[in-house]
Amino acid sequence: MAGNEGYLAKPSGECCLKGSIHEGEARGRIEEIAGIESYVSAPRGKDNGNIILYFPDVYGFFLNGFLIMDGFADAGYTVVGMDYFRGDPVWKHRKDRHDHSNPTFDYEAWKMKHTAYADAAVPGWVEAVKAQFGKPTTKYACVGYCFGAPYVCNELAADTCAAGAFAHPAFLKEHHFRRLQKPLFLSCAEVDHTFPTEARREAIDILRHDKKTYNVQLFAGVEHGFALRGNMENPYERYVKEESLRAIAQWFDYWLSR
């Protein structure tokens, strides 16, 4: 996430602490990969032989994220997610943006600490996933939410992943878009303080001008976090969460079948 240019998708902020906990039972398993606690969810039934690398938002490992990973597994992928927060997700300090019960918690310092660790740890973790789970015929995709978006872009500037996607991104600068070599799917909220309309349009202009391969999905009436922490008692919020996951899975199906 280094670089001197300004952010297009700004660092995680107060809006990133908003959300609901979903209902369900995670079916994956936790294991260490490259010394990092990781969640592994395998397909049930249809198995396309391919792998999705999952980069979580600031909530890290929690039920909603596990269920999203299980959802991608239902689409036929082995899904492997990393806990680059090392058991220290933001919800352990602040339950939501209105929670100030821990006045000593420094959100900015928390972000700096975990960003520095994730930047250093992600490349080795990706290689360890490939060594442990990959086969000569395996193809890879990557998906990230909020904090995880830069790692998707980094992977799409490298050789491992055939396609990637992010939803309601944070921490993105111009170079993340300019360096892309593989197709990117952007799942976006109309109301997003980390990736507002002007920044989203600037990012799309870069992608268009540089002739990158991309697709933009934009949902009206939802905010940052819609794809992971929406209110499932609201039918529309449930729809957009499920539609985001479905569209990303189909994006991967197409590009990994080429």
Side-chain angles (χ1 to χ4, degrees):
M1 300 182 191
N4 295 321
E5 76 270 27
Y7 285 103
L8 293 181
K10 294 181 287 188
S12 304
E14 295 293 310
C15 63
C16 303
L17 301 177
K18 181 179 180 179
S20 303
I21 301 299
H22 300 168
E23 294 183 357
E25 184 174 343
R27 70 167 191 261
R29 66 184 187 274
I30 300 290
E31 62 178 86
E32 278 202 0
I33 300 172
I36 301 169
E37 195 169 82
S38 304
Y39 183 82
V40 181
S41 187
R44 288 182 174 178
K46 180 184 69 173
D47 184 345
N48 60 30
N50 298 324
I51 292 174
I52 293 176
L53 307 172
Y54 177 95
F55 300 113
D57 77 333
V58 294
Y59 270 52
F61 275 10
F62 75 127
L63 179 61
N64 297 21
F66 294 153
L67 295 175
I68 289 291
M69 285 187 268
D70 291 346
F72 285 118
D74 286 340
Y77 295 88
T78 295
V79 187
V80 190
M82 72 178 297
D83 181 18
Y84 33 49
F85 302 119
R86 295 169 291 168
D88 183 40
V90 75
W91 58 263
K92 288 191 174 181
H93 306 281
R94 293 184 66 180
K95 303 300 182 188
D96 56 49
R97 60 180 174 173
H98 303 297
D99 176 15
H100 300 287
S101 60
N102 182 4
T104 63
F105 175 57
D106 187 336
Y107 189 25
E108 296 305 315
W110 180 91
K111 286 186 285 188
M112 289 180 62
K113 177 180 73 172
H114 292 301
T115 296
Y117 176 80
D119 285 354
V122 165
W125 178 83
V126 170
E127 291 305 311
V129 170
K130 291 164 61 179
Q132 184 169 338
F133 296 95
K135 299 176 181 178
T137 57
T138 301
K139 294 183 181 180
Y140 299 85
C142 54
V143 63
Y145 295 82
C146 184
F147 187 98
Y151 305 108
V152 168
C153 292
N154 291 346
E155 289 304 312
L156 297 185
D159 297 326
T160 294
C161 291
F166 60 58
H168 39 83
F171 292 100
L172 292 179
K173 295 186 176 183
E174 182 177 316
H175 74 263
H176 288 108
F177 297 96
R178 293 206 181 276
R179 294 176 184 173
L180 295 175
Q181 300 298 321
K182 307 292 177 57
L184 172 67
F185 187 94
L186 302 81
S187 188
C188 303
E190 179 183 40
V191 181
D192 191 336
H193 295 294
T194 67
F195 199 41
T197 300
E198 296 77 12
R200 186 178 67 248
R201 288 174 177 167
E202 185 175 349
I204 293 169
D205 283 345
I206 292 170
L207 295 171
R208 179 183 55 80
H209 179 271
D210 291 358
K211 301 188 184 304
K212 307 298 184 182
T213 302
Y214 69 97
N215 190 51
V216 180
Q217 178 187 54
L218 177 63
F219 291 106
V222 293
E223 301 180 4
H224 184 97
F226 74 92
L228 195 59
R229 288 181 270 114
N231 177 10
M232 296 298 95
E233 294 183 0
N234 180 307
Y236 179 65
E237 291 192 31
R238 174 181 288 275
Y239 163 75
V240 298
K241 186 270 290 188
E242 293 177 350
E243 181 63 15
S244 176
L245 190 154
R246 183 201 62 78
I248 292 171
Q250 289 192 343
W251 179 256
F252 294 160
D253 288 347
Y254 177 79
W255 288 108
L256 271 64
S257 68
R258 297 301 95 190

